[in-house]
Amino acid sequence: MIISIVSVFLYALMDGLSIYLTMPLLDALFQQGGTSTKTEVDSSSSTSSLIPEWVNNTINDISLSFQTYILSGDVADVLLKISILIIIAFALKNIFSYISSYFMAYVEQGMIRDLRNKLYQHLHKLPMSFFKNEKTGDLISRITSDVGIIQTSVTSVFLNIFRDPITILVFFGIAFSISWKLTLFSLLIVPLSIGVIGWIGSRLRKQSLLLQKKLGNITALLQETISGVKIVKAFGMEGYENKRFKRETQHFFEIILKKVRISNISSPTTEIIAVILGAVIIYYGGRLVLIENEIKASEFMVFLFAIFQMMPPMKQMSTLNNKIQESIGAASRVFEVLDTKPNITNIENPKSLDSFNDEIRFENVTFEYSDSPEKILDCVNIKAKKGEIIAFVGSSGAGKTTLVDLIPRFYDPTKGRILIDDKDIKQVRIEDLRKLMGIVTQETVLFNETVINNIAYGLSDTPMDRVIDAAKIANAHNFILELPNGYETIIGEQGTKISGGQRQRLSIARALLKNPPIMIFDEATSALDNESEVLVQEAIEHLMKERTTFVIAHRLSTIRNADKIYVLEKGQIVQEGKHDELLLNENGIYKKLYELQFRSQAEMNNGKEG
């Protein structure tokens, strides 16, 4: 940054010098070298009432020395000196311009990289409740599109916020040294421009914010339809989805046109004001040269050069505000995420937890979402001893998934507490807590990576034989070997290149390799066919050995051997006990669920036989 700012300053000086050299050049061409020095001193003395005398004297001394050197000798010598100095000035100007641009790009690209990294890292700190209320596509849009707009704006800001003001000051100094009256007169453009620029900028910020929100909606719609393309095709909804997409893109089209219309007003408006003022300056300056004889023609020409050299950076400064407003619109969406405080964090001095030795206990646990008054869990009390299999059953919406999500602190209870080995999990370091757990869900999460990288996810430098052993126990080894490249096969986004049962077995192998003392199964076999279910269930039974296991059961036949079964209804535990014990209660929910499933299974089997 320092190198860039210094280079910008030197660039502006060289730019000013290249223009200033035209004055002795014009004097030499028009054979006015002999009177130049005297006129310079006389004209500059008119500034003595406005600036300190020592500054005035210093400027006069430098100007006198410079012109004495340049204008000494015959005309050929003067022209040679001026030509060489012009070449040097322009060469240095472009060298400093390159240096400033390169290092400024280094700074601004580094800032954007850090912003994008910080945003991505912050997303991982946010609780599950945040993602429950946000669209995936919109979050992706914020990290990519919104940060990209900030990047474009930052590029312009960094290049112009230092270069343009310095350039304006340099040329203002040149113009002021020639005629302070003419310079102050020319500055009438500033107050006229500020009002126009401010009005346009406020309108532009509003449109930019609307534009980014609409782009986020388009990205979210794309993400939804691409991920659900099978359903779209199955229901013949291509036409409906096309209409939805066209409606969103039409709104985007209308907003961006409005934004372009507002944005493009700024530059021509500023230029028209500048041209009007320029014409007035030419008239007023011409009178000072031709009628009042206050300045020479060469000085007036250099003054005009200086004033018109100030126009492009002033014009850039006017559009700079527009770019800043665009950036503010995009940045507000980015910082809306960054400013979201994670409500599930480590306390100031968390307790470490290296192992699980005794029991996990729920004490009067109640949970409700912040945006809903309805209780998802209501005063739940549970005990799970080390090595036990604990199952949860109940109708959809009873609170089963929310209950197991509280154990790894994806959410925190609204009331009550959860203890592991008599330690409140809120007092335990989150990283330590989650290292003790493995999770297999109905919606298997796999990555567009090789089989081996999916199984060894989160475990670096894992020996190949351990990966193979985990795959064998999970009944995955045989189908992996049948894949085109075996363990090096890339399985596609979300594992789309393999079947649902195969995906589940890979996720179980991943959990086995992690070897956690606590396992959570969230309806892991509910979406599988009978053949896949047998293989997956067998793999799950391997995984349950010598582990404390929490199971959300879709099929009650899979939890017959559970040490304790909790039946949930509307967030409350209404029954608990072993499988056989619960079946003895003729009026219990568990008995009804079991008979319902048994009847449905029998009807399916009869249908197959028929």
Side-chain angles (χ1 to χ4, degrees):
M1 176 68 86
I2 293 170
I3 293 170
S4 184
I5 292 172
V6 170
S7 298
V8 164
F9 180 72
L10 293 173
Y11 160 84
L13 285 180
M14 291 300 107
D15 198 16
L17 181 61
S18 63
I19 296 299
Y20 193 77
L21 285 170
T22 58
M23 188 157 57
L25 175 63
L26 290 171
D27 284 342
L29 289 173
F30 293 106
Q31 300 294 319
Q32 293 181 350
T35 61
S36 170
T37 301
K38 180 179 178 301
T39 309
E40 181 68 27
V41 174
D42 291 342
S43 63
S44 61
S45 64
S46 62
T47 66
S48 58
S49 61
L50 297 173
I51 57 177
E53 187 176 351
W54 67 271
V55 175
N56 189 29
N57 292 335
T58 302
I59 293 172
N60 287 338
D61 290 341
I62 293 172
S63 178
L64 182 61
S65 300
F66 178 74
Q67 294 204 28
T68 300
Y69 168 74
I70 292 294
L71 300 177
S72 61
D74 56 24
V75 174
D77 291 335
V78 170
L79 288 174
L80 180 61
K81 290 176 187 177
I82 293 172
S83 299
I84 292 172
L85 284 174
I86 288 174
I87 292 172
I88 293 172
F90 272 94
L92 290 174
K93 167 187 163 183
N94 284 281
I95 290 170
F96 290 130
S97 175
Y98 172 81
I99 293 172
S100 69
S101 298
Y102 175 80
F103 283 104
M104 199 63 80
Y106 182 92
V107 171
E108 61 114 52
Q109 292 293 340
M111 284 182 61
I112 294 302
R113 175 202 61 201
D114 294 345
L115 179 60
R116 193 169 268 137
N117 289 344
K118 189 174 181 181
L119 185 58
Y120 184 74
Q121 290 165 10
H122 188 71
L123 279 176
H124 287 299
K125 295 177 183 177
L126 294 174
M128 296 297 294
S129 56
F130 173 82
F131 297 96
K132 193 178 184 71
N133 298 319
E134 294 290 335
K135 296 178 182 176
T136 303
D138 188 56
L139 291 176
I140 293 170
S141 177
R142 295 187 195 216
I143 297 176
T144 54
S145 176
D146 290 358
V147 173
I149 286 180
I150 295 173
Q151 175 180 338
T152 304
S153 301
V154 166
T155 302
S156 302
V157 169
F158 270 125
L159 286 176
N160 300 132
I161 206 165
F162 294 112
R163 177 184 293 179
D164 291 344
I166 294 173
T167 303
I168 291 169
L169 285 173
V170 168
F171 286 109
F172 176 80
I174 292 173
F176 196 82
S177 68
I178 294 172
S179 174
W180 65 269
K181 291 180 183 178
L182 206 51
T183 304
L184 294 179
F185 180 76
S186 68
L187 292 182
L188 291 173
I189 190 173
V190 175
L192 292 172
S193 298
I194 287 175
V196 176
I197 294 165
W199 175 77
I200 293 171
S202 62
R203 295 285 304 278
L204 196 64
R205 183 196 303 187
K206 182 181 177 183
Q207 292 304 313
S208 294
L209 187 58
L210 287 173
L211 194 66
Q212 292 313 112
K213 285 182 178 178
K214 187 56 65 177
L215 190 59
N217 291 342
I218 291 173
T219 308
L221 181 59
L222 277 171
Q223 191 267 337
E224 286 176 1
T225 50
I226 291 172
S227 61
V229 65
K230 184 183 288 187
I231 300 300
V232 173
K233 289 182 178 296
F235 283 81
M237 295 297 286
E238 293 92 341
Y240 171 75
E241 293 298 340
N242 287 338
K243 286 179 182 177
R244 281 180 70 197
F245 191 75
K246 284 181 180 178
R247 189 162 57 246
E248 292 295 335
T249 53
Q250 178 63 27
H251 290 163
F252 184 83
F253 171 76
E254 291 168 1
I255 294 170
I256 202 166
L257 273 186
K258 190 171 183 180
K259 177 191 161 192
V260 168
R261 189 168 67 244
I262 295 169
S263 178
N264 289 346
I265 287 174
S266 177
S267 183
T269 303
T270 307
E271 187 167 330
I272 289 170
I273 295 172
V275 168
I276 293 171
L277 185 64
V280 176
I281 290 171
I282 290 172
Y283 173 77
Y284 180 63
R287 288 183 60 86
L288 293 179
V289 173
L290 300 173
I291 300 173
E292 301 179 20
N293 293 320
E294 284 193 17
I295 56 174
K296 296 188 302 174
S298 62
E299 291 173 335
F300 181 59
M301 291 297 294
V302 171
F303 177 86
L304 285 179
F305 288 153
I307 291 297
F308 284 107
Q309 282 294 107
M310 288 167 64
M311 294 299 179
M314 288 179 75
K315 190 176 176 182
Q316 288 292 330
M317 291 290 284
S318 71
T319 59
L320 178 65
N321 182 65
N322 294 349
K323 292 186 174 80
I324 290 173
Q325 297 304 327
E326 289 178 27
S327 177
I328 288 171
S332 65
R333 284 169 44 82
V334 171
F335 282 95
E336 186 181 343
V337 176
L338 283 175
D339 292 339
T340 301
K341 301 295 182 185
N343 55 13
I344 296 177
T345 57
N346 286 320
I347 61 172
E348 191 169 340
N349 294 302
K351 298 175 182 176
S352 60
L353 187 68
D354 300 324
S355 61
F356 170 53
N357 303 309
D358 187 16
E359 69 173 8
I360 295 174
R361 191 164 72 251
F362 282 61
E363 292 184 351
N364 301 316
V365 169
T366 298
F367 178 81
E368 58 190 38
Y369 291 110
S370 58
D371 56 351
S372 172
E374 184 181 352
K375 291 181 180 178
I376 308 300
L377 296 173
D378 187 7
C379 204
V380 171
N381 290 279
I382 292 171
K383 280 187 181 180
K385 292 286 186 182
K386 182 178 180 181
E388 285 188 335
I389 298 172
I390 307 297
F392 302 103
V393 299
S395 58
S396 178
K400 304 183 297 294
T401 299
T402 302
L403 191 148
V404 296
D405 281 347
L406 295 176
I407 302 171
R409 284 195 74 193
F410 292 153
Y411 303 94
D412 277 338
T414 310
K415 295 177 183 177
R417 60 178 186 161
I418 302 169
L419 298 98
I420 181 167
D421 291 345
D422 291 322
K423 295 178 180 177
D424 190 333
I425 61 172
K426 289 184 179 180
Q427 309 295 318
V428 173
R429 186 179 290 108
I430 294 174
E431 296 78 9
D432 291 352
L433 178 69
R434 291 176 182 170
K435 279 180 183 177
L436 299 177
M437 300 179 189
I439 300 175
V440 179
T441 64
Q442 177 184 346
E443 297 177 1
T444 307
V445 177
L446 295 173
F447 301 95
N448 189 24
E449 271 279 5
T450 60
V451 170
I452 186 172
N453 286 345
N454 271 285
I455 295 175
Y457 184 69
L459 302 171
S460 57
D461 303 324
T462 304
M464 186 64 187
D465 56 348
R466 284 192 60 203
V467 175
I468 293 173
D469 288 342
K472 285 179 178 177
I473 298 171
N475 289 332
H477 181 66
N478 291 336
F479 89 76
I480 292 171
L481 293 181
E482 294 173 359
L483 295 173
N485 297 310
Y487 280 85
E488 296 298 330
T489 303
I490 294 176
I491 60 174
E493 186 178 357
Q494 293 293 338
T496 51
K497 294 182 180 180
I498 57 179
S499 71
Q502 290 170 338
R503 289 197 291 270
Q504 283 290 34
R505 280 177 273 165
L506 282 188
S507 68
I508 291 169
R510 180 169 62 196
L512 277 164
L513 191 62
K514 184 180 179 183
N515 195 27
I518 302 167
M519 276 303 308
I520 297 172
F521 293 97
D522 186 354
E523 301 193 25
T525 63
S526 63
L528 304 179
D529 55 51
N530 289 336
E531 184 180 352
S532 295
E533 183 185 357
V534 171
L535 291 169
V536 171
Q537 188 60 40
E538 187 179 326
I540 288 173
E541 288 171 4
H542 285 303
L543 189 51
M544 285 180 175
K545 289 179 181 177
E546 300 179 0
R547 290 183 174 85
T548 305
T549 308
F550 295 91
V551 183
I552 294 177
H554 175 73
R555 298 177 185 176
L556 302 187
S557 58
T558 63
I559 57 167
R560 287 178 177 178
N561 298 325
D563 295 291
K564 192 174 287 185
I565 300 170
Y566 289 94
V567 183
L568 278 83
E569 183 68 21
K570 295 182 179 179
Q572 294 181 324
I573 295 175
V574 293
Q575 282 184 285
E576 62 179 275
K578 290 194 173 186
H579 174 75
D580 294 335
E581 295 171 356
L582 292 171
L583 286 178
L584 295 175
N585 186 345
E586 294 292 335
N587 297 319
I589 293 176
Y590 187 82
K591 173 83 170 178
K592 292 177 182 177
L593 289 172
Y594 185 78
E595 288 179 345
L596 184 63
Q597 282 196 10
F598 184 78
R599 191 183 308 122
S600 298
Q601 187 64 40
E603 289 173 357
M604 286 175 63
N605 292 336
N606 291 334
K608 288 178 182 178
E609 290 173 6

